[in-house]
Amino acid sequence: MAELKRRCALVTGSTSGIGAAIAEGLAAAGYDVVLNGFGDPAEIAALSAQWADRYGVSVSHDGADMARTAEIERMVAATDPDILVNNAGIQHVSPVETFPAETWDRIIAINLSAAFHTIRHALPGMRARGWGRIVNIASTHGLVASPGKSAYVAAKHGIVGLTKAVALEAANDGVTVNAIAPGFVRTPLIEKQLADLAARDGVGIDEVVDGFLGEKHPSRQFVEPPDLAQLAVFLCSDAAASMTGSTLPMDRGWTAQ
């Protein structure tokens, strides 16, 4: 991984969950890392200092709101990343006829439009340097659908399409653009869904987990954040220089069914 050292990676939505795992994986691989997301400032500062000390890299934080285009532009201009990981995302579950319009707009803004804005501001610097890596965190819901998740499914399908289009535009510039499509990962987003299902059905979390995973994951196991992190690190390495425009599922067999 020596060829990656001192390049800068910006990971959106990286103060918890999948984004935090990817950010730590990139720091361990020798990248300077810029975290992004909400959370307790003291906890974020402590985590940044811990990773900086452990991995010998620079770790900083930018609190840009990924629903605000001006803040995205400022953050990317300040960072000028060599590597961009678009991970920020939110979820809401509701039948389409009762789906709140304002919630639809916010999900599309954060899960899809934010990636468009980060890419359009980061790509010129990558092209100028003749090297760049863009990794978009899609979802299995970028490849297949589930009821009640119209906005999320639409946004994640959009991420897959955006990945292909930008990969073609940057194909001769030393910049690769790929997506990862995780299945269910035990993150705060999923924990909330599990708690809501348990409360709705009046059952324990373990019973909900078995039913939740059994419907989609043949293994009845969650995808692990560190595994996603290692895939992201690979996509950012020179070993993946010939891969662009690809969406790679890591879904415990979900889309094999």
Side-chain angles (χ1 to χ4, degrees):
M1 287 304 198
E3 76 275 7
L4 304 179
K5 198 160 182 65
R6 312 318 299 172
R7 286 178 171 145
C8 178
L10 169 62
V11 185
T12 70
S14 54
T15 52
S16 66
I18 294 171
I22 290 174
E24 182 174 13
L26 292 170
Y31 294 99
D32 290 338
V33 172
V34 178
L35 304 174
N36 160 260
F38 302 130
D40 181 84
E43 292 180 2
I44 294 170
L47 184 65
S48 299
Q50 181 185 77
W51 289 353
D53 181 65
R54 180 180 299 166
Y55 302 118
V57 298
S58 170
V59 182
S60 59
H61 172 256
D62 191 301
D65 184 339
M66 300 308 291
R68 298 179 180 273
T69 58
E71 293 189 27
I72 293 171
E73 181 177 6
R74 177 201 53 75
M75 176 178 67
V76 176
T79 305
D80 191 20
D82 301 288
I83 296 135
L84 171 64
V85 180
N86 284 306
N87 172 73
I90 59 173
Q91 174 66 288
H92 180 77
V93 180
S94 173
V96 68
E97 68 271 21
T98 57
F99 206 103
E102 63 276 11
T103 303
W104 168 280
D105 291 342
R106 184 163 177 79
I107 289 174
I108 297 300
I110 294 173
N111 293 27
L112 177 57
S113 296
F116 162 74
H117 291 299
T118 57
I119 289 169
R120 73 187 183 95
H121 293 303
L123 190 55
M126 295 178 181
R127 280 181 162 142
R129 290 185 290 274
W131 193 96
R133 297 289 185 267
I134 298 172
V135 180
N136 296 319
I137 306 305
S139 167
T140 304
H141 282 116
L143 303 171
V144 297
S146 294
K149 300 181 179 180
S150 56
Y152 190 82
V153 169
K156 292 303 186 178
H157 272 69
I159 284 289
V160 171
L162 178 65
T163 297
K164 293 177 180 179
V166 179
L168 295 177
E169 292 182 19
N172 294 314
D173 301 318
V175 178
T176 66
V177 190
N178 294 289
I180 299 173
F184 288 128
V185 187
R186 196 151 194 168
T187 64
L189 190 71
I190 293 296
E191 291 285 3
K192 183 180 184 306
Q193 290 185 48
L194 295 175
D196 289 346
L197 288 170
R200 184 195 70 185
D201 298 338
V203 299
I205 287 290
D206 288 344
E207 185 176 343
V208 170
V209 168
D210 189 64
F212 187 83
L213 293 180
E215 180 186 357
K216 305 294 186 183
H217 287 197
S219 65
R220 285 184 160 77
Q221 295 179 348
F222 284 100
V223 177
E224 297 298 331
D227 296 337
L228 293 168
Q230 289 306 304
L231 180 54
V233 170
F234 167 71
L235 290 174
C236 293
S237 74
D238 286 347
S242 295
M243 294 183 64
T244 196
S246 298
T247 296
L248 306 177
M250 184 174 278
D251 61 7
R252 295 281 188 179
W254 181 342
T255 52
Q257 300 178 91

